[in-house]
């Protein structure tokens, strides 16, 4: 099918492979933002942007952009992009596929001699992944004016985030918000199994899930593990285990409904953590994701009731879940998702609506422009791992959907 597309699959494969070669040798595939290896990868991306005839620039937020001027001055910008940084020991496609697919759209338009009325801009956003400074989506937050100013003082090894932004060519002292973007599109690997399992080509992302994290503390009493009778114990870990399994059950039930939900106890610690002492204290951190605030509220109510019941039955103290962070769910533009679905149909690709369970730069671009994403399949759903893989034909097909969508959006 890719032989009939407007994009060039071989160029996409060559660029992704070239970026894969730029990695810390003992940790493939690793190019964490603000490291020398990241800057080396950035230099390659800038080179291929320029070879495609794009005018390159690093904005104040540290994003690398490549611009193809439109024929109508002041008409605005259609933007495509993702990120080239990786997690440690991460994958070759997460973020990278979106940057290269966007570049291939620009190259293919040039090959076809097509001039857009709008400017076309391809972006490699700075530090979409959690960075060495402990925060993520630094570039897209900066581009949309929502990067918290106090973040600039975050530091590691004596280097602040402000220093890091300067090192990549940005200007942390300049605060700005892009107002010229008329539409933003991001291609990304799914990082799940839905498309592969259902044998569907393209996922049309209608919403990016909200993420809340909750802390639960369980207080029991430390006693001798050998001399304390089994019916006279105040075991914090025993109670916590009931809560962990209960959270899993609640999450499964909510996920079986019509709205997306996922819940995970991802962080867990106990004290005193000694073989011959009954545990006295447990701390757990829940990661909960939903696109409907009402479903998140239902989860909180159910977990709160579970904690109260468990505390009573196990004679321990359990505080109500404490929300320690919250990011609201982000709906995508119905106009743009509609254009993407029509574009997929036009080239003969199958598609289905989806929700993104992970955060992406598109969530922040949606604050200043109509935005949407497409997913392409991930083998076995693997991501943030060296085994991450997406077939090049799938990436090329996604790039072709972007190509068609850009042409349609330019006419609108």
């Amino acid at each position: 099918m890719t032989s009939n597309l407007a994009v060039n699959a071989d160029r996409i494969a060559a660029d992704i492979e070239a970026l894969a070669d730029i990695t810390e040798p003992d940790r493939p595939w690793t190019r964490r933002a603000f490291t020398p290896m990241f800057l080396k990868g950035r230099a390659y991306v800038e080179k291929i942007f320029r070879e495609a005839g794009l005018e390159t620039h690093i904005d104040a937020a540290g994003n690398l952009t490549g611009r193809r001027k439109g024929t109508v001055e002041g008409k605005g910008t259609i933007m495509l992009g993702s990120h080239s940084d990786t997690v440690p020991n991460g994958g070759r496609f997460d973020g990278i596929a979106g940057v290269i697919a966007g570049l291939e759209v620009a190259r293919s338009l040039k090959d076809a001699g097509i001039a857009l009325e709008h400017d076309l801009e391809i972006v490699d956003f700075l530090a979409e992944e959690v960075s060495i400074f402990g925060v993520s989506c630094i570039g897209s937050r900066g581009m949309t004016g929502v990067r918290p100013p106090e973040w600039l003082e975050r530091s590691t090894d004596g280097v602040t985030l402000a220093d890091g932004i300067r090192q990549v060519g940005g200007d942390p002292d300049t605060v700005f918000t892009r107002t010229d973007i008329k539409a933003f599109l991001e291609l990304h690997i799914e990082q799940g199994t839905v498309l592969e399992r259902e044998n569907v080509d393209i996922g049309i992302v209608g919403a990016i899930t909200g993420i809340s994290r909750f802390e639960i503390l369980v207080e029991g009493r430390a006693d001798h593990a050998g001399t304390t009778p089994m019916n006279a114990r105040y075991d914090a870990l025993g109670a916590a285990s009931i809560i962990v399994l209960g959270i899993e059950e609640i999450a499964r039930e909510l996920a079986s409904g019509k709205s997306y939900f996922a819940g995970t106890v991802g962080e867990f610690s106990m004290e005193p953590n000694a073989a011959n002492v009954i545990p006295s204290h447990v701390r757990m951190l829940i990661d909960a994701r939903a696109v409907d605030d009402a479903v998140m509220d239902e989860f909180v109510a159910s977990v709160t009731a579970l904690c109260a019941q468990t505390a009573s039955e196990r004679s321990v103290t359990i505080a109500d879940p404490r929300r320690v962070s919250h990011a609201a769910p982000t709906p995508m533009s119905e106009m743009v998702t509609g254009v993407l679905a029509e574009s997929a149909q036009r080239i003969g690709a199958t598609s289905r609506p989806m929700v993104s369970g992970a955060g992406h730069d598109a969530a922040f671009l949606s604050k200043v422009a109509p935005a949407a994403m497409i997913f392409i399949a991930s083998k076995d759903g693997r991501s943030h791992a060296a085994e991450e893989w997406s077939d090049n034909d799938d990436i090329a097909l996604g790039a072709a959907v972007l190509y068609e969508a850009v042409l349609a959006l330019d006419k609108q």
Side-chain angles (χ1 to χ4, degrees), residues 338-354:
V339 168
L340 287 167
E342 291 168 1
S343 298
Q345 185 177 29
R346 195 154 47 243
I347 65 170
T350 57
S351 68
R352 74 182 306 279
M354 294 187 71

Side-chain angles (χ1 to χ4, degrees), residues 4 25 52 76 104 106 111 114 117-118 145 176 185 199 231 275 351 377 384 389 398:
N4 298 319
E104 182 55 30
D111 290 347
I114 296 174
E117 292 186 2
H118 295 79
F176 70 105
L185 308 175
N199 195 29
N231 61 356
S351 68
H384 284 191
W389 184 263

Side-chain angles (χ1 to χ4, degrees), residues 282-348:
V282 169
R283 174 188 177 272
M284 66 185 80
L285 196 65
I286 307 167
D287 178 297
R289 306 188 180 214
V291 293
D292 185 340
D293 287 335
V295 176
M296 184 69 79
D297 292 343
E298 185 178 350
F299 173 73
V300 174
S302 297
V303 174
T304 300
L306 171 66
C307 289
Q309 180 180 346
T310 304
S312 175
E313 293 176 351
R314 303 287 300 202
S315 300
V316 297
T317 301
I318 307 175
D320 289 346
R322 182 176 73 90
R323 194 189 301 255
V324 296
S325 66
H326 175 66
T330 306
M332 298 284 95
S333 163
E334 292 185 6
M335 181 273 288
V336 182
T337 56
V339 168
L340 287 167
E342 291 168 1
S343 298
Q345 185 177 29
R346 195 154 47 243
I347 65 170

Side-chain angles (χ1 to χ4, degrees), residues 34-264:
F34 305 106
T35 66
M37 199 60 70
F38 169 74
L39 292 175
K40 187 175 180 181
R42 260 284 177 91
Y44 176 78
V45 174
E46 184 171 15
K47 178 180 80 74
I48 58 178
F49 276 11
R50 287 178 174 172
E51 288 172 352
L54 302 178
E55 178 186 336
T56 63
H57 171 67
I58 294 178
D59 68 17
N63 304 301
L64 170 64
T65 64
R67 178 179 291 266
R68 183 176 189 256
K69 290 289 292 181
T71 60
V72 180
E73 189 72 28
K75 185 108 180 190
T77 302
I78 297 172
M79 182 178 285
L80 312 175
S82 197
H83 60 97
S84 68
D85 66 312
T86 75
V87 298
N89 302 301
R92 287 183 274 182
F93 304 95
D94 178 356
I96 291 93
V99 174
I100 300 304
L103 170 61
E104 182 55 30
V105 171
R107 288 190 292 214
S108 298
L109 289 168
K110 180 182 178 182
D111 290 347
I114 296 174
L116 303 177
E117 292 186 2
H118 295 79
D119 293 345
L120 178 67
E121 195 164 324
I122 317 302
V123 185
D124 172 17
F125 291 105
L126 177 64
E128 191 269 357
E129 304 289 4
V130 176
S131 67
I132 57 176
F133 300 103
V135 289
S136 61
C137 293
I138 293 170
S140 53
R141 292 176 197 259
M143 182 181 283
T144 56
V146 297
R147 185 191 66 211
E150 62 272 18
W151 278 17
L152 295 175
E153 301 307 313
R154 298 179 71 97
S155 65
T156 181
D157 296 329
V159 177
T160 66
L161 174 57
D163 295 331
I165 292 173
R166 291 188 187 97
Q167 288 169 5
V168 302
D171 177 9
D173 298 323
T174 299
V175 179
F176 70 105
T177 302
R178 289 284 294 268
T179 59
D180 61 305
I181 306 168
K182 301 305 180 183
F184 174 77
L185 308 175
E186 180 174 5
L187 176 148
H188 206 280
I189 63 171
E190 181 193 342
Q191 302 176 284
T193 60
V194 173
L195 295 174
E196 182 181 57
R197 191 174 63 245
E198 297 184 5
N199 195 29
V200 175
D201 298 320
I202 302 293
I204 309 292
V205 179
I208 296 174
T209 182
I211 306 173
S212 289
R213 295 197 170 100
F214 302 91
E215 180 185 67
I216 296 178
L217 301 178
V218 183
E219 303 292 345
R221 192 176 78 186
D223 284 303
H224 196 293
T227 62
T228 308
M230 295 302 296
N231 61 356
R233 298 178 174 220
Y234 306 96
D235 187 338
L237 181 59
S241 66
I242 294 171
I243 294 172
V244 171
L245 293 175
I247 288 170
E248 183 181 57
E249 184 177 345
I250 292 166
R252 285 181 183 274
E253 184 175 345
L254 290 174
S256 67
K258 293 182 179 180
S259 184
Y260 182 90
F261 187 83
T264 308

